[in-house]
């Protein structure tokens, strides 16, 4: 509408009433509005072609060559004959039309920028809460996570359970994005037909730095073959703001029959589904070949009994989520160590699943320092065992800890 009004002001359409019977009519007013002048006697305005206001020099009027004065009265008889009406004479002043159009577009652009305005920060990223995407020739899955307030602990950093949940989430979304997710956690279509599911057998995690509230981390994950009947899954976790690798993890998975709860070989039909997604790469963490110690009531320093899963601890396969085991293992860790030490690495061997009616015990043995001086210890190593009340082993583990004071000093120096 604005553009139409601006254009119509430059094109004059003469009416029939402005022409006399001889085909002559009053001269159409020029688009130079400075040349308009009204005569009190007649009540009409008469404008000569290309009329201009007389220029001034030092405050005085000056007649320049080519300048034309406006007619003052209807009684003047020396008025020159008007120029013949041609197409060129009726063209508008294109410079003024272009200026009007430019003004319109600048105003529209300003309004659009005001509507689309949003704060811009160097540490903001696009779509940090999406389901992720496939990268690197379709073999690596990448997803971002924002650390929420309910995911941090008393030391204002993310808990190890938060880190492990991010790893599990990316693994499942990877299978889903590849189009291999059937009814169940990570079951391909052929696995679903044969009642097979993946279960984790071993997990190694190294945490160099824990993110804090408001940080955004980027998680990459991929799968590789491990032996004839196993699959390895690796993860790399980076700080999105700095690009620094903060966590590395590697895991070994095997197949289990969902009905019999026994381990199974990988059928050829299933192998054909998953092999195109295998990456030929080394583990991101060198395998820790040290044997995990079996604890008992005599060798353990701390024992926590009466641990039972709740309904929310079960996954869709009706067994306890493997992340929950980590929380149970730390239930028997001494409070002094949790307050003064930070978990920097962890190795777990999953030996048995447990269900909703299970009752468990958590055992921890501290080595490398005096149990009574955990607050001043630099490096601490612990052995862990999670078992059922009848003695059947569920998870064996080993954790390594470093002083929170030393970690804080190192973070300050590097930043």
């Amino acid at each position: 509408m604005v553009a139409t009004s601006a254009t119509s002001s430059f094109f004059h359409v003469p009416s029939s009433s402005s022409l006399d019977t001889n085909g002559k009519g009053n001269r159409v007013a020029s688009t130079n509005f400075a040349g308009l002048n009204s005569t009190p006697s007649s009540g009409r305005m008469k404008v000569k072609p290309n009329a201009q206001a007389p220029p001034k020099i030092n405050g005085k009027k000056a007649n320049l060559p080519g300048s034309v004065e406006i007619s003052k009265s209807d009684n003047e008889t020396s008025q020159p004959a008007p120029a013949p009406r041609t197409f060129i004479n009726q063209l508008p002043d294109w410079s003024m039309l272009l200026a009007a159009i430019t003004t319109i577009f600048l105003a529209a652009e300003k309004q659009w920028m005001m509507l689309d305005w949003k704060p811009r920060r160097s540490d903001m990223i696009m779509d940090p809460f999406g389901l992720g995407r496939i990268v690197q020739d379709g073999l690596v899955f990448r997803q971002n996570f924002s650390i929420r307030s309910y995911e941090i602990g008393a030391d204002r950093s993310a808990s190890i359970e938060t880190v492990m949940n991010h790893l599990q989430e990316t693994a499942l979304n990877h299978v889903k994005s590849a189009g291999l997710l059937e009814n169940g956690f990570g079951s391909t279509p052929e696995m679903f037909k044969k009642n097979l599911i993946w279960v984790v057998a071993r997990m190694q995690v190294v945490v160099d730095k824990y993110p804090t509230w408001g940080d955004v981390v980027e998680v990459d994950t991929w799968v590789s073959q491990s032996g004839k009947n196993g699959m390895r899954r690796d993860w790399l976790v980076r700080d999105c703001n700095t690009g620094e690798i903060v966590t590395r993890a590697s895991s070994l998975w095997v197949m289990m029959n969902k009905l019999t709860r026994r381990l199974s070989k990988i059928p050829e039909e299933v192998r054909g589904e998953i092999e195109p997604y295998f990456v030929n790469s080394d583990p991101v963490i060198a395998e820790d070949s040290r044997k995990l110690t079996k604890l008992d009531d005599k060798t353990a320093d701390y024992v926590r009994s009466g641990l039972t899963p709740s309904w929310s601890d079960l996954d869709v396969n009706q067994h306890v989520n493997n992340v929950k085991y980590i929380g149970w293992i730390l239930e028997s860790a001494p409070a002094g160590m949790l307050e003064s030490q930070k978990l920097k690495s962890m190795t777990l061997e999953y030996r048995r699943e447990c269900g909703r009616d299970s009752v468990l015990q958590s055992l921890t043995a501290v080595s490398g320092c005096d149990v009574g001086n955990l607050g001043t210890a630099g490096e601490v190593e612990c052995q862990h065992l999670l078992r059922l009340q009848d003695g059947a082993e569920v998870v064996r583990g080993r954790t390594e800890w470093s002083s929170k004071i030393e970690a804080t000093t190192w973070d300050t120096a590097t930043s």
Side-chain angles (χ1 to χ4, degrees):
M1 181 181 292
V2 178
T4 305
S5 302
T7 306
S8 63
S9 64
F10 297 102
F11 290 93
H12 179 77
V13 181
S15 62
S16 58
S17 59
S18 63
L19 299 175
D20 55 20
T21 56
N22 296 327
K24 297 180 181 180
N26 294 329
R27 185 64 176 168
V28 178
S30 170
T31 57
N32 192 340
F33 299 107
L36 296 178
N37 192 9
S38 60
T39 54
S41 58
S42 63
R44 296 181 301 169
M45 294 186 294
K46 299 181 66 178
V47 182
K48 293 184 178 182
N50 300 326
Q52 297 180 1
K56 295 184 179 181
I57 300 179
N58 296 331
K60 298 181 180 180
K61 293 183 179 180
N63 292 326
L64 300 179
S67 62
V68 181
E69 294 186 358
I70 303 175
S71 175
K72 299 292 184 178
S73 171
D74 291 336
N75 297 327
E76 292 182 345
T77 58
S78 60
Q79 179 177 354
R85 292 175 57 85
T86 64
F87 173 75
I88 298 299
N89 290 342
Q90 299 185 59
L91 287 177
D93 188 340
W94 292 108
S95 63
M96 296 183 65
L97 178 60
L98 179 61
I101 296 175
T102 302
T103 302
I104 294 170
F105 277 99
L106 288 176
E109 182 182 14
K110 183 177 180 180
Q111 293 294 326
W112 176 259
M113 292 178 63
M114 292 178 64
L115 291 174
D116 194 46
W117 182 87
K118 60 183 67 175
R120 304 288 182 184
R121 286 173 26 201
S122 59
D123 59 342
M124 290 181 67
I125 63 173
M126 296 300 293
D127 191 22
F129 314 115
L131 289 180
R133 61 192 185 278
I134 299 290
V135 297
Q136 297 185 15
D137 299 327
L139 299 177
V140 177
F141 182 80
R142 176 173 296 168
Q143 185 171 355
N144 296 333
F145 294 93
S146 177
I147 305 303
R148 312 302 179 91
S149 60
Y150 52 81
E151 295 176 321
I152 63 175
D155 58 356
R156 299 179 181 272
S157 61
S159 63
I160 185 62
E161 289 92 340
T162 294
V163 175
M164 298 300 293
N165 279 324
H166 291 168
L167 302 186
Q168 180 174 268
E169 181 71 7
T170 52
L172 293 174
N173 286 334
H174 183 194
V175 178
K176 181 179 180 180
S177 298
L180 298 177
L181 184 64
E182 197 59 37
N183 186 19
F185 265 17
S187 296
T188 66
E190 287 296 329
M191 289 175 62
F192 178 70
K193 293 178 183 178
K194 295 174 171 54
N195 294 314
L196 297 175
I197 59 174
W198 287 109
V199 291
V200 60
R202 185 179 176 89
M203 174 79 72
Q204 285 185 255
V205 182
V206 175
V207 181
D208 296 321
K209 182 180 179 181
Y210 286 89
T212 187
W213 179 26
D215 289 347
V216 179
V217 295
E218 178 185 81
V219 184
D220 284 1
T221 185
W222 60 93
V223 292
S224 305
Q225 185 172 350
S226 179
K228 293 183 178 181
N229 292 298
M231 180 183 72
R232 192 185 76 244
R233 178 174 287 278
D234 292 335
W235 293 269
L236 278 180
V237 183
R238 297 181 179 86
D239 185 322
C240 282
N241 188 31
T242 64
E244 173 189 8
I245 295 177
V246 295
T247 301
R248 293 167 291 145
S250 185
S251 61
L252 174 63
W253 297 73
V254 293
M255 284 192 177
M256 185 177 74
N257 188 291
K258 185 169 59 174
L259 301 179
T260 65
R261 296 304 191 189
R262 294 181 179 273
L263 298 183
S264 170
K265 294 182 178 180
I266 301 179
E268 290 301 320
E269 297 84 356
V270 176
R271 192 181 302 275
E273 289 179 318
I274 61 178
E275 277 190 345
Y277 298 93
F278 284 167
V279 177
N280 186 16
S281 64
D282 296 328
V284 296
I285 303 176
E287 183 179 355
D288 189 349
S289 59
R290 292 178 296 169
K291 186 177 180 180
L292 296 177
T293 305
K294 180 180 179 180
L295 298 179
D296 54 32
D297 294 334
K298 295 181 179 179
T299 57
D301 296 314
Y302 302 89
V303 178
R304 176 70 183 274
S305 301
L307 301 174
T308 58
S310 61
W311 177 255
S312 60
D313 296 327
L314 304 180
D315 60 25
V316 297
N317 293 320
Q318 297 298 310
H319 64 252
V320 175
N321 189 298
N322 65 83
V323 177
K324 183 62 180 180
Y325 294 145
I326 300 173
W328 282 337
I329 286 174
L330 298 182
E331 282 290 332
S332 60
M337 186 180 70
L338 298 177
E339 293 174 358
S340 61
Q341 304 287 320
K342 184 178 289 291
L343 178 62
K344 69 175 186 178
S345 70
M346 175 176 59
T347 302
L348 302 175
E349 287 183 358
Y350 294 86
R351 294 173 173 260
R352 184 188 300 269
E353 63 176 336
C354 61
R356 181 181 181 184
D357 299 326
S358 301
V359 181
L360 301 98
Q361 284 183 324
S362 176
L363 296 83
T364 296
V366 180
S367 60
C369 72
D370 184 3
V371 175
N373 296 321
L374 290 173
T376 59
E379 299 288 334
V380 179
E381 182 178 289
C382 296
Q383 304 293 329
H384 305 274
L385 176 64
L386 191 66
R387 68 185 183 185
L388 299 176
Q389 277 190 330
D390 60 6
E393 296 184 48
V394 177
V395 178
R396 285 189 189 185
R398 177 173 49 247
T399 57
E400 296 179 353
W401 305 72
S402 62
S403 173
K404 290 183 178 180
I405 298 177
E406 293 180 359
T408 303
T409 304
W410 183 85
D411 289 342
T412 304
T414 54
S415 59

